[in-house]
Amino acid sequence: MNRKPIMALILSFAMLLSVVYPVTAPEDARAATVKLNKTSISIRVKKSKTIKMTGTYHTVSWSISSGKANIKLKNYKKNKITIVGKKQGKGTVKGTIWYSAKKKKVLKCKVTVKPPLWQCPRCGMSNDTNFCSNCGQKKPDPSASPTPTPNGSASPTASSSPTPTPISPEAMSDKSIVMVLNNSFPFKIQLYANSAAMTFYDRVCKQQISNLTMGPDGENEKCCHISPGINTYISESYHVAKGEVFLYGIDVLKISANEHDTGAFPTRIGRVTDEYVYMLDQALVKLIDGKTVVQFKQYI
């Protein structure tokens, strides 16, 4: 008995059924793959962040379910939305996908709006606490009126925080140290004539604290934390030279790989003064286990 015509008929019938009744994934299975890329975010007043719905080709309906006084929405897209902070507080953004008149999926993102950063009037550092992390200046009171001076010009209200007293902050001292990078590259560094540099010399160089591990902090700087911290002073310029060693705050030690402007006034410790400063790039590129290892020693 020839079974080939029968098998051909069965296959043809199966193909016809697949066209008329295509096999599709259940709606519930597809809905399970839909998610927000962020379920909670933090933004600052007048700043914004974008969230996105993934795993769907449907258009998302975006809305604010709570905290309308604190947040607003802009840049409505098919599957993403931008959230803007209006004032400090909390809110919730809701994304809704309608599969049918009775079938929908709702996902929510919790939003925390933080107060705006303020710029220190003394050193220019951006902060979110009541005191500057770089120089200790108290956050200005926006409701306080300036006190007039005898010549009629206005001066800011005096801060209750102690003011660091610089000792010729931009002048160079007669002391020098040696900075060794990755156990291979020694550089002579002349120290600045200020109390922070002298404290650094006594604590780090004389005691020969070695193998400080520094990580990248952007393309221009390497940094690490030192403990205990060192009292800082008010610098006169954002600009740092190539080979500059300086502090942010009291405990963040940095090396400048290139001449650039910093994000805040630094506390200057010293800078490379020998003729091999051009080799600094090569020395910083060579790593030990992915890190820059630094030693500071007395110059003999």
Side-chain angles (χ1 to χ4, degrees), residues 99-206:
Y99 296 107
S100 65
K102 297 182 179 180
K103 181 70 175 180
K104 67 179 180 179
K105 185 176 182 66
V106 179
L107 293 174
K108 296 181 179 181
C109 177
K110 296 181 179 180
V111 183
T112 300
V113 183
K114 297 181 178 181
L117 293 173
W118 59 277
Q119 190 172 36
C120 178
R122 178 190 291 171
C123 72
M125 185 78 169
S126 294
N127 301 273
D128 59 359
T129 59
N130 290 329
F131 291 89
C132 178
S133 60
N134 185 50
C135 69
Q137 172 74 27
K138 186 177 181 181
K139 180 180 179 180
D141 183 359
S143 62
S145 57
T147 303
T149 57
N151 61 6
S153 60
S155 61
T157 304
S159 170
S160 60
S161 59
T163 302
T165 54
I167 306 172
S168 302
E170 308 302 330
M172 305 301 294
S173 74
D174 58 356
K175 289 186 179 294
S176 295
I177 62 174
V178 176
M179 176 178 70
V180 182
L181 297 177
N182 299 317
N183 301 330
S184 302
F185 297 87
F187 293 92
K188 181 182 177 182
I189 291 181
Q190 187 174 359
L191 296 178
Y192 283 93
N194 62 67
S195 58
M198 296 303 105
T199 301
F200 181 83
Y201 178 79
D202 291 334
R203 288 186 187 174
V204 179
C205 302
K206 281 187 176 181

Side-chain angles (χ1 to χ4, degrees), residues 125 132-135 229-233 247-252 265-267:
M125 185 78 169
C132 178
S133 60
N134 185 50
C135 69
I230 297 174
N231 291 331
T232 60
Y233 68 87
L247 286 169
Y248 264 7
I250 64 172
D251 62 352
V252 180
F265 290 126
T267 296

